Every structure is written in C-alpha cells, then in structure tokens.
Amino acid sequence: MATLPAAPATATLTRPARVLVVDDDENVTNMLRRALSFDGYAVTTARDGDDALKKALEYGPDLVVLDIMMPGIDGVEVCRRLRAGDPHLAILMLTARDAAADQVVGLDAGADDYLVKPFTLDVLTARIRALLRRKEPTDVEILHFADLVLDTGTRSARRGAREIALTTTEYDLLLQFLRHPRQVLEKEQLTEKVWGYDFGGNYNVLEVYVRYLRQKLEAAGEPRLIHTLRGAGYVLREASG
C-alpha cells in the first residue's frame, strides 16, 4: 500500500495548512473550498473515494474533511486507507447520521473526529483548528509510568521493550494520562484537552479512543493501566491485586 507524504509537524506555522475536502455533493465542496480558503487554508477537493485517494497521494494534506456517504468507495473505506498510509493525518468525518453506532463506525475506521450534518461553518472551522493545533511542535518530554514510556519529541511510546505505534489522537490522549498519573480525569476534561472543545455530554469519540489505547497498551498481555471509574471518568494507575 502506498504511503502518504508525511506532513511536517510545523505545517501550521510555516505555510498554510493543506485541507482536502471530499464530498460527492459539488455544492458542499464548492462552499467549503471558498470558506476555508477565505480562512487562509490551502484547499483542494475530491468528488468521490477514488479521487480522494489519488488527491491525498498527490497533495499531501495536513487534514481531510471526509463525507461518509459516497458512491463507490465510501468514506469509511477511504478513511481506513488514509489512516493505514499515515497514522498522523488529521481526519474529520462528515455524517448525516447521528446514531452512536454510525459515529463509532467512522472512528473505528481511524477518524479523529466527526461532525453531523447539517453543521455551521463556525463549528466546522473550530473543529479543523482544534485538530491542526495538535500537529504543532511542543517541548520535548520523556514521560514514565510503570513500564510505559512516552517520548514527546519522537511521539513514540513503548511498554517495556515493545514499541507501540500511535495515531495522533491516541498519542494526545495518552499524553494527558501520563501528565496526570493516578488522578481521576473526567470525560469532559479529557475531551477539552485532547479535542479542544466539550462534546456536550456525547462521549462516543473519547470512549472509542480509550478502547484503542487499552488494546495497544495491553497487546502483549500486559496489566491494564487505564481504568474506568464509573460515573467519574478514567485514571492511569497500576492494576490492583
């Protein structure tokens, strides 16, 4: 499988961020291209899944706005292929369905966030800004907890000698846990820190990504480190007993 061109971490600081908008509705792509270009983004569009995969390889976007319902290769499959090619690409999915199961499908495919149609431009651009901020460089830290290590310089993690590959969202979420070990982190607090806004009580995205992290951290049978406190949130601590 072809690998997408890697976007530099400083993309938002040294050049206009590149945004690829994918939707089979030409009215939507035209509207978003005008609005996002006005906001200073370098925007290109794709009309379907095949076109999206081609443009992603050619264009090397920093962020993809991706409609889930398209003819041919749908948005879910496009998302899977984009994520396989670049674990750090920011992907915002658009869906006309607001059922939790439909949202989780997109997240399971590798989306960082989703937005339900119809939406306002203000909300869309706020989500884009939040996702792109996470690509900006930060001070280097080496964080340890039990046998877990996270290097913020290389954005790499390991558990013991085992390397753990993380997407951008998984990395950002793990970073919050490692910066606050043994502290109860409320769901609202985590969503604001990782995604940059409150989900209004709908925490499907957070719950999916906590599940992803647990699967990766426990892939070799290691003890659980991220624990759920029902009605309170999550905590990073050693397994009891």
Side-chain angles (χ1 to χ4, degrees):
M1 179 178 293
T3 301
L4 296 179
T10 56
T12 54
L13 299 180
T14 60
R15 59 164 172 78
R18 297 170 182 160
V19 177
L20 172 61
V21 177
V22 186
D23 199 302
D24 61 327
D25 186 334
E26 189 173 355
N27 292 325
V28 172
T29 55
N30 287 340
M31 180 268 291
L32 292 182
R33 179 175 55 212
R34 289 193 300 270
L36 295 175
S37 296
F38 182 79
D39 281 348
Y41 298 105
V43 183
T44 194
T45 62
R47 63 186 179 277
D48 56 34
D50 285 313
D51 193 28
L53 294 171
K54 178 182 177 181
K55 293 281 180 62
L57 284 171
E58 295 174 347
Y59 189 59
D62 302 302
L63 180 141
V64 178
V65 179
L66 177 63
D67 188 38
I68 198 170
M69 297 293 292
M70 294 185 295
I73 304 176
D74 66 13
V76 172
E77 180 58 27
V78 171
C79 185
R80 289 194 184 101
R81 297 187 192 185
L82 292 176
R83 178 58 68 226
D86 182 357
H88 302 300
L89 176 65
I91 302 175
L92 172 62
M93 295 203 78
L94 305 179
T95 174
R97 304 171 178 175
D98 61 359
D102 295 317
Q103 296 161 2
V104 170
V105 166
L107 297 172
D108 279 341
D112 295 292
D113 198 359
Y114 65 86
L115 190 58
V116 177
K117 293 180 176 179
F119 53 83
T120 67
L121 281 173
D122 285 346
V123 171
L124 175 70
T125 55
R127 300 285 183 94
I128 289 174
R129 287 194 300 271
L131 288 173
L132 289 174
R133 273 198 301 271
R134 290 155 53 186
K135 299 174 74 69
E136 296 177 0
T138 58
D139 293 336
V140 175
E141 300 176 81
I142 307 295
L143 301 169
H144 301 259
F145 185 82
D147 59 347
L148 176 63
V149 179
L150 184 69
D151 183 337
T152 67
T154 60
R155 301 175 74 88
S156 61
R158 69 177 189 271
R159 186 138 192 211
R162 182 173 64 86
E163 297 291 330
I164 303 172
L166 299 172
T167 67
T168 298
T169 299
E170 291 164 352
Y171 165 84
D172 289 336
L173 184 56
L174 183 58
L175 181 62
Q176 291 305 313
F177 282 117
L178 282 167
R179 282 179 171 169
H180 304 91
R182 301 186 183 91
Q183 297 179 32
V184 178
L185 301 179
E186 297 178 352
K187 292 182 177 181
E188 180 180 0
Q189 178 182 1
L190 282 169
T191 55
E192 288 180 344
K193 288 289 188 180
V194 175
W195 283 270
Y197 58 90
D198 178 24
F199 286 173
N202 183 350
Y203 297 112
N204 291 330
V205 178
L206 174 62
E207 291 161 1
V208 167
Y209 272 99
V210 168
R211 173 164 56 87
Y212 288 165
L213 265 184
R214 283 174 172 159
Q215 290 171 347
K216 291 189 174 183
L217 296 180
E218 302 166 19
E222 296 95 336
R224 174 156 294 181
L225 292 178
I226 299 175
H227 301 268
T228 301
L229 298 180
R230 193 171 301 278
Y234 301 99
V235 61
L236 179 74
R237 59 171 172 76
E238 298 89 343
S240 58

PDB file of all heavy atoms in Angstrom, residues 202-217:
ATOM      1  N   ASN A 202     -21.879  13.943  24.872  1.00  0.00           N
ATOM      2  CA  ASN A 202     -21.776  12.778  23.983  1.00  0.00           C
ATOM      3  C   ASN A 202     -20.302  12.402  23.892  1.00  0.00           C
ATOM      4  O   ASN A 202     -19.522  13.059  23.205  1.00  0.00           O
ATOM      5  CB  ASN A 202     -22.338  13.121  22.605  1.00  0.00           C
ATOM      6  CG  ASN A 202     -22.325  11.928  21.674  1.00  0.00           C
ATOM      7  OD1 ASN A 202     -21.736  10.896  21.972  1.00  0.00           O
ATOM      8  ND2 ASN A 202     -22.971  12.069  20.535  1.00  0.00           N
ATOM      9  N   TYR A 203     -19.924  11.329  24.561  1.00  0.00           N
ATOM     10  CA  TYR A 203     -18.506  10.986  24.674  1.00  0.00           C
ATOM     11  C   TYR A 203     -18.126   9.744  23.875  1.00  0.00           C
ATOM     12  O   TYR A 203     -17.180   9.030  24.221  1.00  0.00           O
ATOM     13  CB  TYR A 203     -18.141  10.805  26.151  1.00  0.00           C
ATOM     14  CG  TYR A 203     -18.320  12.084  26.946  1.00  0.00           C
ATOM     15  CD1 TYR A 203     -19.299  12.199  27.917  1.00  0.00           C
ATOM     16  CD2 TYR A 203     -17.512  13.196  26.697  1.00  0.00           C
ATOM     17  CE1 TYR A 203     -19.481  13.376  28.632  1.00  0.00           C
ATOM     18  CE2 TYR A 203     -17.679  14.374  27.401  1.00  0.00           C
ATOM     19  CZ  TYR A 203     -18.658  14.464  28.361  1.00  0.00           C
ATOM     20  OH  TYR A 203     -18.831  15.642  29.067  1.00  0.00           O
ATOM     21  N   ASN A 204     -18.851   9.471  22.778  1.00  0.00           N
ATOM     22  CA  ASN A 204     -18.542   8.301  21.961  1.00  0.00           C
ATOM     23  C   ASN A 204     -17.100   8.328  21.462  1.00  0.00           C
ATOM     24  O   ASN A 204     -16.411   7.308  21.464  1.00  0.00           O
ATOM     25  CB  ASN A 204     -19.475   8.228  20.742  1.00  0.00           C
ATOM     26  CG  ASN A 204     -20.902   7.916  21.134  1.00  0.00           C
ATOM     27  OD1 ASN A 204     -21.141   7.247  22.131  1.00  0.00           O
ATOM     28  ND2 ASN A 204     -21.848   8.390  20.348  1.00  0.00           N
ATOM     29  N   VAL A 205     -16.642   9.487  21.001  1.00  0.00           N
ATOM     30  CA  VAL A 205     -15.289   9.599  20.463  1.00  0.00           C
ATOM     31  C   VAL A 205     -14.264   9.236  21.530  1.00  0.00           C
ATOM     32  O   VAL A 205     -13.347   8.444  21.302  1.00  0.00           O
ATOM     33  CB  VAL A 205     -15.016  11.024  19.941  1.00  0.00           C
ATOM     34  CG1 VAL A 205     -13.593  11.145  19.435  1.00  0.00           C
ATOM     35  CG2 VAL A 205     -15.990  11.382  18.833  1.00  0.00           C
ATOM     36  N   LEU A 206     -14.399   9.813  22.697  1.00  0.00           N
ATOM     37  CA  LEU A 206     -13.466   9.543  23.784  1.00  0.00           C
ATOM     38  C   LEU A 206     -13.472   8.067  24.163  1.00  0.00           C
ATOM     39  O   LEU A 206     -12.412   7.445  24.322  1.00  0.00           O
ATOM     40  CB  LEU A 206     -13.827  10.392  24.999  1.00  0.00           C
ATOM     41  CG  LEU A 206     -13.028  10.110  26.276  1.00  0.00           C
ATOM     42  CD1 LEU A 206     -11.548  10.389  26.070  1.00  0.00           C
ATOM     43  CD2 LEU A 206     -13.583  10.926  27.442  1.00  0.00           C
ATOM     44  N   GLU A 207     -14.648   7.486  24.304  1.00  0.00           N
ATOM     45  CA  GLU A 207     -14.742   6.089  24.716  1.00  0.00           C
ATOM     46  C   GLU A 207     -14.096   5.162  23.692  1.00  0.00           C
ATOM     47  O   GLU A 207     -13.431   4.180  24.051  1.00  0.00           O
ATOM     48  CB  GLU A 207     -16.206   5.724  24.946  1.00  0.00           C
ATOM     49  CG  GLU A 207     -16.793   6.422  26.182  1.00  0.00           C
ATOM     50  CD  GLU A 207     -18.310   6.453  26.190  1.00  0.00           C
ATOM     51  OE1 GLU A 207     -18.925   5.908  25.242  1.00  0.00           O
ATOM     52  OE2 GLU A 207     -18.888   7.022  27.140  1.00  0.00           O
ATOM     53  N   VAL A 208     -14.271   5.463  22.418  1.00  0.00           N
ATOM     54  CA  VAL A 208     -13.644   4.655  21.370  1.00  0.00           C
ATOM     55  C   VAL A 208     -12.128   4.741  21.475  1.00  0.00           C
ATOM     56  O   VAL A 208     -11.421   3.730  21.397  1.00  0.00           O
ATOM     57  CB  VAL A 208     -14.116   5.103  19.974  1.00  0.00           C
ATOM     58  CG1 VAL A 208     -13.244   4.484  18.877  1.00  0.00           C
ATOM     59  CG2 VAL A 208     -15.569   4.703  19.754  1.00  0.00           C
ATOM     60  N   TYR A 209     -11.600   5.947  21.683  1.00  0.00           N
ATOM     61  CA  TYR A 209     -10.153   6.100  21.723  1.00  0.00           C
ATOM     62  C   TYR A 209      -9.532   5.547  23.004  1.00  0.00           C
ATOM     63  O   TYR A 209      -8.380   5.085  22.991  1.00  0.00           O
ATOM     64  CB  TYR A 209      -9.748   7.551  21.471  1.00  0.00           C
ATOM     65  CG  TYR A 209      -9.603   7.801  19.994  1.00  0.00           C
ATOM     66  CD1 TYR A 209     -10.622   8.393  19.263  1.00  0.00           C
ATOM     67  CD2 TYR A 209      -8.463   7.386  19.316  1.00  0.00           C
ATOM     68  CE1 TYR A 209     -10.512   8.579  17.896  1.00  0.00           C
ATOM     69  CE2 TYR A 209      -8.340   7.574  17.952  1.00  0.00           C
ATOM     70  CZ  TYR A 209      -9.360   8.165  17.248  1.00  0.00           C
ATOM     71  OH  TYR A 209      -9.235   8.333  15.893  1.00  0.00           O
ATOM     72  N   VAL A 210     -10.252   5.554  24.097  1.00  0.00           N
ATOM     73  CA  VAL A 210      -9.776   4.867  25.294  1.00  0.00           C
ATOM     74  C   VAL A 210      -9.669   3.373  25.011  1.00  0.00           C
ATOM     75  O   VAL A 210      -8.686   2.714  25.402  1.00  0.00           O
ATOM     76  CB  VAL A 210     -10.698   5.137  26.499  1.00  0.00           C
ATOM     77  CG1 VAL A 210     -10.364   4.195  27.656  1.00  0.00           C
ATOM     78  CG2 VAL A 210     -10.560   6.579  26.963  1.00  0.00           C
ATOM     79  N   ARG A 211     -10.646   2.833  24.294  1.00  0.00           N
ATOM     80  CA  ARG A 211     -10.601   1.412  23.923  1.00  0.00           C
ATOM     81  C   ARG A 211      -9.397   1.120  23.034  1.00  0.00           C
ATOM     82  O   ARG A 211      -8.693   0.125  23.220  1.00  0.00           O
ATOM     83  CB  ARG A 211     -11.902   1.014  23.220  1.00  0.00           C
ATOM     84  CG  ARG A 211     -11.884  -0.397  22.650  1.00  0.00           C
ATOM     85  CD  ARG A 211     -13.289  -0.891  22.324  1.00  0.00           C
ATOM     86  NE  ARG A 211     -13.994   0.002  21.417  1.00  0.00           N
ATOM     87  CZ  ARG A 211     -13.904  -0.081  20.088  1.00  0.00           C
ATOM     88  NH1 ARG A 211     -13.102  -0.978  19.527  1.00  0.00           N
ATOM     89  NH2 ARG A 211     -14.600   0.746  19.321  1.00  0.00           N
ATOM     90  N   TYR A 212      -9.143   2.002  22.051  1.00  0.00           N
ATOM     91  CA  TYR A 212      -7.971   1.830  21.193  1.00  0.00           C
ATOM     92  C   TYR A 212      -6.692   1.782  22.029  1.00  0.00           C
ATOM     93  O   TYR A 212      -5.819   0.927  21.828  1.00  0.00           O
ATOM     94  CB  TYR A 212      -7.844   2.999  20.214  1.00  0.00           C
ATOM     95  CG  TYR A 212      -8.855   3.044  19.101  1.00  0.00           C
ATOM     96  CD1 TYR A 212      -9.020   4.206  18.351  1.00  0.00           C
ATOM     97  CD2 TYR A 212      -9.657   1.950  18.792  1.00  0.00           C
ATOM     98  CE1 TYR A 212      -9.933   4.277  17.315  1.00  0.00           C
ATOM     99  CE2 TYR A 212     -10.579   2.010  17.764  1.00  0.00           C
ATOM    100  CZ  TYR A 212     -10.716   3.178  17.027  1.00  0.00           C
ATOM    101  OH  TYR A 212     -11.622   3.251  16.014  1.00  0.00           O
ATOM    102  N   LEU A 213      -6.555   2.747  22.950  1.00  0.00           N
ATOM    103  CA  LEU A 213      -5.345   2.810  23.762  1.00  0.00           C
ATOM    104  C   LEU A 213      -5.169   1.549  24.598  1.00  0.00           C
ATOM    105  O   LEU A 213      -4.065   0.992  24.688  1.00  0.00           O
ATOM    106  CB  LEU A 213      -5.398   4.024  24.681  1.00  0.00           C
ATOM    107  CG  LEU A 213      -4.721   5.305  24.198  1.00  0.00           C
ATOM    108  CD1 LEU A 213      -4.785   6.367  25.283  1.00  0.00           C
ATOM    109  CD2 LEU A 213      -3.273   5.056  23.810  1.00  0.00           C
ATOM    110  N   ARG A 214      -6.226   1.092  25.205  1.00  0.00           N
ATOM    111  CA  ARG A 214      -6.135  -0.120  26.016  1.00  0.00           C
ATOM    112  C   ARG A 214      -5.685  -1.309  25.170  1.00  0.00           C
ATOM    113  O   ARG A 214      -4.837  -2.099  25.591  1.00  0.00           O
ATOM    114  CB  ARG A 214      -7.494  -0.418  26.664  1.00  0.00           C
ATOM    115  CG  ARG A 214      -7.803   0.448  27.860  1.00  0.00           C
ATOM    116  CD  ARG A 214      -9.201   0.194  28.347  1.00  0.00           C
ATOM    117  NE  ARG A 214      -9.470   0.865  29.612  1.00  0.00           N
ATOM    118  CZ  ARG A 214     -10.683   1.142  30.055  1.00  0.00           C
ATOM    119  NH1 ARG A 214     -11.743   0.816  29.319  1.00  0.00           N
ATOM    120  NH2 ARG A 214     -10.860   1.754  31.209  1.00  0.00           N
ATOM    121  N   GLN A 215      -6.249  -1.437  23.983  1.00  0.00           N
ATOM    122  CA  GLN A 215      -5.871  -2.555  23.119  1.00  0.00           C
ATOM    123  C   GLN A 215      -4.387  -2.512  22.790  1.00  0.00           C
ATOM    124  O   GLN A 215      -3.706  -3.547  22.797  1.00  0.00           O
ATOM    125  CB  GLN A 215      -6.705  -2.523  21.836  1.00  0.00           C
ATOM    126  CG  GLN A 215      -8.167  -2.875  22.042  1.00  0.00           C
ATOM    127  CD  GLN A 215      -9.012  -2.629  20.798  1.00  0.00           C
ATOM    128  OE1 GLN A 215      -8.581  -1.977  19.847  1.00  0.00           O
ATOM    129  NE2 GLN A 215     -10.225  -3.164  20.797  1.00  0.00           N
ATOM    130  N   LYS A 216      -3.866  -1.326  22.520  1.00  0.00           N
ATOM    131  CA  LYS A 216      -2.446  -1.211  22.170  1.00  0.00           C
ATOM    132  C   LYS A 216      -1.538  -1.389  23.385  1.00  0.00           C
ATOM    133  O   LYS A 216      -0.477  -2.021  23.296  1.00  0.00           O
ATOM    134  CB  LYS A 216      -2.182   0.127  21.485  1.00  0.00           C
ATOM    135  CG  LYS A 216      -2.811   0.214  20.094  1.00  0.00           C
ATOM    136  CD  LYS A 216      -2.362   1.441  19.331  1.00  0.00           C
ATOM    137  CE  LYS A 216      -2.907   1.405  17.907  1.00  0.00           C
ATOM    138  NZ  LYS A 216      -2.433   2.550  17.086  1.00  0.00           N
ATOM    139  N   LEU A 217      -1.946  -0.833  24.510  1.00  0.00           N
ATOM    140  CA  LEU A 217      -1.115  -0.943  25.704  1.00  0.00           C
ATOM    141  C   LEU A 217      -1.105  -2.355  26.279  1.00  0.00           C
ATOM    142  O   LEU A 217      -0.158  -2.735  26.976  1.00  0.00           O
ATOM    143  CB  LEU A 217      -1.595   0.037  26.776  1.00  0.00           C
ATOM    144  CG  LEU A 217      -1.493   1.530  26.452  1.00  0.00           C
ATOM    145  CD1 LEU A 217      -2.002   2.361  27.625  1.00  0.00           C
ATOM    146  CD2 LEU A 217      -0.074   1.936  26.088  1.00  0.00           C
TER     147      LEU A 217
END
